Structure formats: structure tokens, C-alpha cells
Amino acid sequence: MKNIRNFCIIAHIDHGKSTLADRLLQVTNTISERDMMDQVLDDMDLEREKGITIKSHAIQIDYKHEDGIDYTLNLIDTPGHVDFSYEVSRALAACEGALLLVDATQGIQAQTISNLYLAIENDLEIIPVINKIDMDGAMIEEVKDQIIELIGCKPEDILLASGRTGIGVDGILDAIVNKIPSPTGDPDAPLQALIFDSVFNSFRGIIVYYRIKNGSIKQGDKVKFVSTDQEYQADEIGILKLKMSPKKDVKCGDVGYIITGIKVAKEVHVGDTITLANNPHPAMIQGFEVVKPMVFAGIFPINTDEFEELRDCMDKLQLNDASLTYELETSQALGFGFRCGFLGMLHMEIIQERLEREFNQTVITTVPNVSFIAYTTKGDKVIVNNPTEMPDPVRIDRIEEPFIRAQIISKPEYIGNIMTLCLGKRGILINQSYLTTTRVELTFEIPLTEIVFDFYDKLKSQTRGYASFDYSPIGYRDSDIVKMDILLNNEKVDALSALIHRARAQEFGRKLCDKLKELLPRQQFQIAIQAAIGAKIVARSNISAMRKDVTAKCYGGDISRKRKLLEKQKEGKKRMRQIGNVEVPQEAFLAVLKLDE
């Protein structure tokens, strides 16, 4: 065990985490030159295109140190985005040390700080590394000062490296061996292993990645997953190279995989504990929680005939991504579909992209919203994920909405813009502190509803791309939330309903009515578009009727003939309006998402 080192790399998006991992694998000859490519641990097309790690990977590196001893280094990669912070926290719990990677051209950003706090909570040894030192815009001394101020280390502790050219990679490997402690644990105790990830293989079922804290596991053992209380046979166990490498046993302190033939994603939870069925460990590893979706949206097929096909695709996607939750939903306007729960907006975007790319499914997504808690006058608690689930306003005592704590790091000249944006989104300023003379950190408490739409895009445009943003949920608070319906010809269109704060309802309703006026095709009769809260109309637009010139055949003659024809036309339009249906095109549902453009 004293020759094992478990570590991960924590960084903000785009600070060169995957590139540095590539160099570590190349320098230690873990990967042959033939298998080498950029972002070798990111195996999804989407990850390569967007330059982000969506699904984390683990890999074992064999490293021969200068003192002649062979070390086993387990690199447990972490996803880079805010939405996947729970997965990051579990990956950190499986390590003893972390490389804190900071881009020399950009300095410390919001996610660097939040991931660093996660690492400190898990008592990890932090090795600070400044990456991209070969770039023209590298500010090495300034970034060094920022790191010293943040973690209080000595200047000589900070390593300089370039993931692209390989400068300083040997120094990083030395630091991993010398500074990160070897795993602690009792090899003779009953098995206790932490699940930090799982992947789905269409032939083998779900492959579970774990780190053994105490004891060891052998092939053929009967194991038990503590939180689900299920027992399985360990058909195959082993360690993780670029491909899986089967072993007869995996010992204490090591990282490995287990295949038990599980086919249902819900049976494996990240953060769960594995133990032996016949000799269980008395304690579960601390910190386990079931991942809760933050953002909800409806996903519907464009043709209702494709519903069954979409259901199969959702099943397959859930096997690959256990944090996706969905249930059946029907809409009068869109037919059958699913109500899906996502970890955040990026997660939602990725699921949509994967449905289109991997399964050729073109889908309509309704307005994303968050879950509210409504308390009725009888004292019942109702969780509302969808406007249609909202109880009758007469029966509601109060409504609570989720709040988040947002950390924004930017240059001081953009403070005014950020304040205006956040206070306009019902945010409360909690703290403002200068990290350095050119870096300021603002902390806000904001309702999650307000950042679901376009907050991140606006923040980037207001600060010319300089601001970085990170958030964490802080619970529910009382709020004045109302359900706003959209009526077309006095008929509700349920897919356009939204739950919104009363103060913003009128403005939102007006924008939506104007947008629908542009998008809906004109009919032979007048269409009224109304936004209503209960029985009260808060905004209205009219689409005027297309008019056929019925008096064209009258040349001259008495005015009464023309009037008679116009009266007849008026009667016809009145009758048509009573029975006429308004077709809502696809663009109208998507327009709601892009209201502020």
C-alpha cells in the first residue's frame, strides 16, 4: 500500500486538465504512441467538441521513480462543470491528493475555488500547478501571488508546467510521489469500498468503479451494495488501464472495477458503499446522498407516432447517465412525452444533443423550470415540478422556491454590470471581496428560477467573457410564485404555462404575447393571445383576421348592397371564431426559451 498514490486534477473549465492528463499518460508510457490522441480520457464526441469533461474516467499509471521503486498512481479524473459537483465530491473522497491546476493566462476562477473548498473538506493534500506557461499571455508571477493568497503555500511549492509541450510534467510526477500520502486502511478488515462512478456497457451491463478503503475483494465474492441492500456475485474484478485489466483480487487502497451483470441504472448510486455479503463492514462511508435534479423540462417527440422510440432512447440514455430522471407526461398541445429532471442547464443541453446525435431523435423541449414546494391550507406539502401540478390558488397557504449561493469572480471594472444583472434577477448581495487588485469575488443569493434561463450567457456578455460563475444550492425560502397561463381564443395552451414570481409576471406575459403574435400564422378570424394569472388577464395581443374583399364584385350601385355583404361576412367570421382551432407551430414553444433576444 505504501507505493500507491490516489490523486485527481481539479480546475476550472478550459484550464488544460485533460491535456495535462494526456501528458502524464504519455510520459509514463501508460499509452502506446499508436493509441495516443488529444483528450484521450474523453471518449465522447461531444466532450471533444465542447472541450469539457462530461463523464469522468479513472486510469492507473505505473511510474518508476528516480529511487528505483515502482509506484502505482491512480488518476481519478473529475468532470469540470458546476452541474456535476456531486460527482466531483465523490471522486475527491476516493483520493488522498489533488493537483490544483490554474491557467497562467486566466488566473484563478470561480470553479477553481469551489473545487478547492471541496478538496479541503476531504482533507486532501493540494499540489498547486500553473499550467500553460508557454503561452504568450502567461502572467506567471501574478498567478503565483493569487495562489499563495488563496491557499497560503510557499512560492517554491508552486509547480510550473505546460500540458501541451510537456514542460514540468516530470516535476509533477515527483511531487505526486513525494507529497501525496499513501492510502490508509486495514487490509485485514471486512471489505469497505466507495463507488465513485459507473458506466454502462451494452454487453456486460453496468460497470462500477470503486476505491477500496478497507479489506480486499476477490473474483467470485458475493458483494452487497449498502444503500440499496442488494447482493450480487462479482463475476469480474480488476484495475483500470486505458482498457479494463482483469485481476483475481483488488487490494486495500487500490482503485478498480467490478462487473456483476446489473442491468438497471437505479441499482447503482455514486457514493454508495460496497461490502461483502457474508462478512459486512459495520460502517457506511460518510457523505453519500442521492443526486437530486435541479431543473425540470418536458421532452416530447415532434411526431406523436415516435413516442415508443423515444421511450427506448430515454431508457438507454439513463443507463449511461444515472443522474437523468424522467417520468411520463401528457400535454394537450404536444401529446405524449416525458417530464425530465436534470442537474442543470448544461446537463439538459447535453441530453438533448445526445438524443439527436446518438439516437437521431428530434425533440421539442418545453420551458425549463425548477421544483417548488407548495403548502396547502390543510397543511399538506406538494412538490410542484410542472405548472400543471400546481394546486388551486384558493387551497395554497404558501409557496417556497429553491435558492442558490452564487460566486462570481471578475475584474473590478465589471462590478456595476454584475450588480445590475444579479439585483434585477432578485439577487441579494452577501459579500464582496478583492482576491487581488485585479480580481474581485462577489457572492449573491439568487432564486434558482432566475438563473435557469439565460443568466450565464448574459453574465458573459456583460463582462466581455471575463466573469466566471459557480453556484451551490442553499435550500428553500418563501416566495410569491404564481402560475401564468397563456390563452389562445380563450383556450389554455398547457405547454406554454409557466410558474413565475408575481412581480415579473406582467412583463414576462407581455413579452410572450408579443412573441407569439409574430410567430402564429394569421387565420380567417381574429385571434386573442392572453396571459392570465387565475382569472385576471395581465397581458394581451391580437392577431387581426385575414380579410377577403367581398365587395370586389360591386361596381358602384347602392351602399346597402355592400353593407349586406359585409354583414354576412361578419356573421361568418363570428361563427368561425367559435369553432376555429389555432395551430401552434414548433417555433412558438422554442421562442419562450429565447425571449430576451
Side-chain angles (χ1 to χ4, degrees):
M1 267 172 69
K2 67 178 189 295
N3 294 346
I4 296 175
R5 300 286 183 273
N6 297 322
F7 74 100
C8 61
I9 307 173
I10 52 178
H12 190 76
I13 301 164
D14 207 24
H15 278 209
K17 195 158 56 80
S18 297
T19 314
L20 183 67
D22 291 350
R23 287 300 85 74
L24 291 172
L25 299 178
Q26 201 172 17
V27 168
T28 53
N29 296 321
T30 305
I31 291 182
S32 63
E33 285 300 323
R34 198 179 70 179
D35 290 335
M36 194 63 216
M37 58 180 172
D38 286 347
Q39 290 172 259
V40 71
L41 292 179
D42 295 343
D43 52 9
M44 244 190 271
D45 291 343
L46 260 176
E47 291 181 311
R48 293 172 180 285
E49 278 174 33
K50 289 182 181 285
I52 53 175
T53 302
I54 295 167
K55 197 82 187 113
S56 56
H57 290 261
I59 191 163
Q60 192 172 92
I61 300 169
D62 294 322
Y63 173 58
K64 198 177 187 71
H65 197 240
E66 294 158 355
D67 53 16
I69 302 172
D70 286 331
Y71 286 91
T72 300
L73 313 179
N74 288 309
L75 164 58
I76 298 170
D77 194 11
T78 58
H81 201 274
V82 188
D83 289 0
F84 309 107
S85 58
Y86 175 64
E87 278 187 41
V88 176
S89 76
R90 295 298 81 207
L92 293 176
C95 300
E96 277 80 35
L99 298 179
L100 176 72
L101 203 61
V102 182
D103 187 333
T105 60
Q106 295 182 50
I108 284 173
Q109 309 238 296
Q111 241 167 294
T112 321
I113 294 179
S114 68
N115 284 349
L116 174 70
Y117 290 159
L118 278 177
I120 291 169
E121 275 170 32
N122 285 299
D123 293 330
L124 265 61
E125 178 66 39
I126 310 284
I127 300 174
V129 180
I130 297 179
N131 193 23
K132 305 191 187 179
I133 58 166
D134 59 320
M135 300 276 280
D136 293 339
M139 309 174 292
I140 297 170
E141 292 309 314
E142 288 175 36
V143 177
K144 265 190 183 177
D145 293 343
Q146 290 178 21
I147 293 174
I148 292 165
E149 208 161 303
L150 182 68
I151 59 176
C153 62
K154 298 189 184 76
E156 55 271 19
D157 292 344
I158 299 172
L159 304 175
L160 303 180
S162 162
R164 194 163 56 96
T165 58
I167 303 167
V169 172
D170 292 328
I172 292 174
L173 287 163
D174 280 350
I176 290 167
V177 168
N178 297 330
K179 291 188 179 176
I180 295 177
S182 55
T184 55
D186 182 355
D188 303 319
L191 172 69
Q192 186 192 37
L194 168 75
I195 298 176
F196 64 85
D197 201 8
S198 64
V199 291
F200 178 71
N201 180 306
S202 44
F203 302 108
R204 312 292 304 272
I206 289 173
I207 302 163
V208 177
Y209 296 167
Y210 56 84
R211 148 80 201 276
I212 298 184
K213 297 279 189 183
N214 289 300
S216 62
I217 185 170
K218 296 182 179 61
Q219 189 179 356
D221 278 350
K222 193 157 194 196
V223 295
K224 177 181 173 185
F225 289 14
V226 178
S227 75
T228 54
D229 209 22
Q230 300 275 2
E231 294 184 1
Y232 306 98
Q233 196 79 21
D235 299 335
E236 182 181 311
I237 58 167
I239 55 164
L240 297 147
K241 295 286 195 187
L242 188 59
K243 303 271 188 290
M244 291 181 295
S245 166
K247 296 270 186 221
K248 289 280 178 231
D249 59 350
V250 179
K251 295 188 168 57
C252 183
D254 224 334
V255 172
Y257 71 90
I258 177 170
I259 298 175
T260 57
I262 304 171
K263 288 281 192 287
V264 183
K266 289 188 179 70
E267 289 179 28
V268 179
H269 296 301
V270 170
D272 196 1
T273 305
I274 305 177
T275 185
L276 292 174
N278 54 5
N279 182 16
H281 194 282
M284 188 174 176
I285 294 167
Q286 293 305 305
F288 169 70
E289 53 183 84
V290 178
V291 185
K292 294 185 186 71
M294 302 278 284
V295 174
F296 296 86
I299 286 186
F300 294 87
I302 281 188
N303 297 328
T304 40
D305 314 345
E306 292 169 7
F307 171 71
E308 286 301 329
E309 204 176 317
L310 182 64
R311 184 199 294 242
D312 291 345
C313 299
M314 295 298 280
D315 284 344
K316 287 174 187 162
L317 252 183
Q318 195 179 36
L319 289 172
N320 266 312
D321 186 349
S323 43
L324 167 70
T325 58
Y326 66 90
E327 57 192 44
L328 281 174
E329 181 183 44
T330 52
S331 154
Q332 295 162 358
L334 300 171
F336 290 104
F338 297 97
R339 185 93 200 144
C340 302
F342 308 98
L343 297 175
M345 290 300 281
L346 177 85
H347 189 209
M348 175 175 152
E349 196 182 312
I350 285 162
I351 295 293
Q352 271 178 273
E353 286 261 351
R354 288 183 70 183
L355 277 171
E356 286 186 15
R357 287 185 185 203
E358 295 172 29
F359 303 104
N360 291 328
Q361 290 288 320
T362 319
V363 292
I364 299 172
T365 312
T366 61
V367 190
N369 59 9
V370 301
S371 61
F372 299 91
I373 297 176
Y375 291 92
T376 63
T377 45
K378 289 182 178 173
D380 297 336
K381 178 179 169 183
V382 181
I383 292 172
V384 182
N385 293 334
N386 184 348
T388 52
E389 295 169 7
M390 187 79 147
D392 190 22
V394 185
R395 290 177 37 233
I396 296 174
D397 177 35
R398 68 180 197 280
I399 297 174
E400 293 183 351
E401 68 173 329
F403 268 68
I404 56 150
R405 175 169 279 117
Q407 280 174 300
I408 298 167
I409 293 181
S410 180
K411 290 188 166 184
E413 58 258 39
Y414 299 118
I415 290 179
N417 293 359
I418 295 170
M419 291 270 199
T420 311
L421 175 66
C422 293
L423 297 176
K425 298 274 186 189
R426 296 191 286 131
I428 305 159
L429 180 65
I430 299 299
N431 191 13
Q432 176 180 335
S433 60
Y434 281 83
L435 302 171
T436 66
T437 50
T438 57
R439 274 265 195 276
V440 63
E441 180 185 20
L442 299 166
T443 309
F444 286 92
E445 288 183 356
I446 307 181
L448 183 61
T449 341
E450 299 289 339
I451 68 153
V452 158
F453 269 144
D454 51 3
F455 178 77
Y456 194 56
D457 298 343
K458 280 193 173 169
L459 180 67
K460 284 289 184 196
S461 59
Q462 297 277 358
T463 59
R464 298 194 183 167
Y466 276 109
S468 58
F469 168 68
D470 187 79
Y471 68 87
S472 54
I474 52 171
Y476 285 79
R477 297 181 185 177
D478 280 6
S479 192
D480 190 6
I481 297 292
V482 290
K483 179 186 174 189
M484 193 175 75
D485 292 308
I486 296 293
L487 311 175
L488 294 180
N489 261 358
N490 296 326
E491 281 188 27
K492 286 182 187 175
V493 181
D494 59 346
L496 292 174
S497 296
L499 295 171
I500 193 161
H501 193 268
R502 194 183 293 274
R504 305 240 352 246
Q506 194 163 354
E507 177 202 356
F508 182 78
R510 194 176 299 118
K511 278 186 183 172
L512 194 49
C513 289
D514 292 344
K515 194 80 177 178
L516 287 170
K517 184 179 177 177
E518 289 169 28
L519 290 166
L520 293 177
R522 287 171 71 185
Q523 306 282 354
Q524 293 278 336
F525 52 91
Q526 186 189 30
I527 304 170
I529 305 168
Q530 295 165 310
I533 297 172
K536 185 185 176 188
I537 305 293
V538 292
R540 172 178 175 137
S541 280
N542 288 337
I543 299 177
S544 52
M546 287 195 295
R547 181 166 171 267
K548 184 183 171 190
D549 190 0
V550 285
T551 58
K553 60 187 179 190
C554 297
Y555 292 102
D558 188 18
I559 186 73
S560 58
R561 282 186 63 203
K562 291 184 183 176
R563 198 170 284 138
K564 190 175 165 189
L565 287 169
L566 290 168
E567 289 294 331
K568 194 174 174 187
Q569 184 186 31
K570 193 173 169 187
E571 282 297 314
K573 284 203 184 292
K574 197 172 173 185
R575 193 165 63 251
M576 198 187 279
R577 186 175 172 179
Q578 286 167 355
I579 57 170
N581 278 334
V582 182
E583 284 288 315
V584 182
Q586 315 283 311
E587 298 86 64
F589 296 110
L590 304 174
V592 185
L593 305 178
K594 303 190 176 78
L595 267 185
D596 287 334
E597 286 182 7

